[in-house]
Amino acid sequence: MDDSAEPTLRPPPLTLNRKLPLWYQVAQHLRACVLARRPGDPTRLPNEESLAEHYGISVMTMRQALRELEDEDLITRQRRRGTFVNESAGSRPLRLLGSVDAVVSQQASDDVRVLGAEPVPPPAEFASYFPPGAEVMRFRRLRREHDEITSYAENFVALDIAAKIDLDDLRLMPMTGVLRDRIGVRIGLVADTAEAKLPAPDIADLLEIPLSSPVLYCVGVTRDLESRVVDVASIHYRGDRFKFAVTFGTE
């Protein structure tokens, strides 16, 4: 069979904003294209070179965008055949891109308890963000509002960056604020995902909630201006103590 003759799912044109990471914009655009598929639409995407030319970016940048969709299980890349949309691709966790100031404001709290900091291998779900075999520093914190626990946060930070972090700062500031304002990390992008889920037993104990009580689970990936991942935050919010709101402007 001549695979090159298969029909392809061609994304519409996109005008890129040069102030944001190109791979991120392309990944978001392709994600929307994939999720907007109708039954019977082609499942094969154009090859990397064609997509790179379509978006006006390098093949390396295109690969980074495709890797993002692959990590989300939206596409499968088959050697010698091409890239295909997974038939199971459906609704995905909410993803947000905003200013660093907005992220810092969201994470802020007047009552934070630092539970510990220790070097560990990154969890399997985050391993792809760090070099193979690398250890990271895990920071663990509980947040309270009005004497009630609201969230439990784990931050997995590159060791060279973590060595500069003062635990006292983490009691006073969110991790993103510490990275930017205390140790001078030049943050290029913070990408968040959010989804509702049931907590694991240890998380339920920390949040002081029943196992049957849903939480809002957020993952935030912070990259510097060179696109290196410096921090991955894993945060469980109590569903009965946390309100999530987003405001968008039209211009």
Side-chain angles (χ1 to χ4, degrees), residues 9 30-31 33-45 66-78 81-92:
L9 181 67
L30 272 178
R31 180 184 294 106
C33 181
V34 166
L35 296 179
R37 284 180 61 254
R38 295 171 297 181
D41 283 350
T43 60
R44 183 178 184 176
L45 292 173
L66 290 172
R67 191 179 306 120
E68 179 80 358
L69 269 64
E70 189 175 24
D71 288 345
E72 294 181 28
D73 202 29
L74 287 175
I75 61 173
T76 298
R77 308 176 77 183
Q78 301 179 17
R81 285 206 63 207
T83 301
F84 295 84
V85 176
N86 289 335
E87 291 292 350
S88 60
S91 62
R92 311 303 300 173

Side-chain angles (χ1 to χ4, degrees), residues 19 22 87 91 93 181 198 241:
K19 294 183 179 180
L22 300 182
E87 291 292 350
S91 62
D181 301 330
L198 292 176
R241 294 291 183 270

Side-chain angles (χ1 to χ4, degrees), residues 4 14 16 19 23 31 49 114 118 142-143 152 196 247:
S4 64
L14 172 66
L16 294 171
K19 294 183 179 180
W23 69 266
R31 180 184 294 106
E49 291 77 11
V114 178
E118 57 278 323
L142 273 178
R143 296 192 184 101
Y152 169 67
T247 301

Side-chain angles (χ1 to χ4, degrees), residues 150-213:
T150 57
S151 67
Y152 169 67
E154 293 186 347
N155 288 81
F156 301 92
V157 182
L159 287 182
D160 60 314
I161 301 295
K164 304 174 185 178
I165 294 176
D166 188 328
L167 293 185
D168 286 336
D169 285 336
L170 284 179
R171 296 183 180 95
L172 302 173
M173 301 174 63
M175 178 63 80
T176 308
V178 171
L179 294 175
R180 184 189 65 176
D181 301 330
R182 287 290 189 263
I183 60 179
V185 173
R186 300 176 66 196
I187 295 175
L189 177 75
V190 181
D192 287 348
T193 66
E195 61 181 315
K197 62 187 297 186
L198 292 176
D202 59 329
I203 301 297
D205 286 345
L206 285 166
L207 295 178
E208 299 179 355
I209 57 175
L211 283 171
S212 59
S213 179

